[in-house]
Amino acid sequence: MKLAYFGHSCFLLEIKGTKILFDPFISGNELAKGKVDIHTIEADFIFISHGHGDHIADAPAIANRTGAKVIAAYEVCSWLEVQGVKNCHPVNHGGRLTFDFGSVKFTNAIHSSSMPDGTYGGNPIGFYIETTEKNIYYSGDTALTYDMKLLADYGKVDVALLPVGDNFTMGYEDACIAAHFVNTQHVIALHYDTFGYIVIDKVAAKAHFEQQGKTLSFVEIGNSIQL
Ligand code: NI
Ligand code: MN
């Protein structure tokens, strides 16, 4: 299983040849300039956590070019369809979909969701992905919430992709508590440094996780890691 980081909250997860792109916001991200080419990204699926521009900006273009199936909240799908995206599958909290690579459950996220034009975006969601290899939790933009404890009941979370940038989402201290809640050892950071409000001290963040017996990883933009 391979995980590439395209900056902010955007990752490409590859499971047995299936490529899942999360929250594509690349062309507007100064930190990703020259490191990620949005015209060559391949995707079979695009998972979108909510309607904010820093999660959806490049979704219409990539979805239309690749034909990837977009999985998002009903209201996000409705908006994308108006943008000309044809291959959308609407979901909501509590649902589960089964794919060749495994299954995905749509989890609660404590945040807001409106579309770039201000229309209603429904509720923000996260993704709990179960596969025969590993189970991954991608929380989306969220505050720390006791609902995360449900994931420890569903199964073993091998790695959690969590926001650590504070201000709009959890900071790294709460992300570390979230790691305890979902009972995972390994967290991969997202939603930090992209703009002024969310610049963090990465050395302090990693040290905090180490003190709690957990690992926090920052993947370089444009790089990938093996899970
Ligand atoms: Ni947001
Ligand atoms: Mn965001």
Side-chain angles (χ1 to χ4, degrees), residues 3 6 12 17 21 24 36-37 41 53 57 74-75 89 116 125 133 136 152 158 163 183 191 202 212 219 222 224:
L3 185 74
F6 296 156
L12 187 72
L21 183 69
V36 184
D37 179 6
I41 292 171
Y74 173 79
E75 294 82 356
H89 184 124
I125 59 174
E133 286 178 34
I136 316 280
D158 293 291
N183 194 23
H191 216 273
K202 294 193 277 297
Q212 303 286 319
V219 185
S224 30

Side-chain angles (χ1 to χ4, degrees), residues 8 50 52 54-55 111 141 191:
H8 200 52
H50 64 296
H52 291 158
D54 60 322
H55 299 262
H111 192 64
D141 280 10
H191 216 273

Side-chain angles (χ1 to χ4, degrees), residues 47-87:
F47 288 9
I48 298 173
S49 64
H50 64 296
H52 291 158
D54 60 322
H55 299 262
I56 202 171
D58 294 314
I62 296 174
N64 286 333
R65 178 177 56 75
T66 60
K69 178 174 277 193
V70 178
I71 312 284
Y74 173 79
E75 294 82 356
V76 173
C77 283
S78 300
W79 184 85
L80 284 168
E81 281 162 5
V82 174
Q83 314 304 308
V85 178
K86 302 246 165 8
N87 197 6

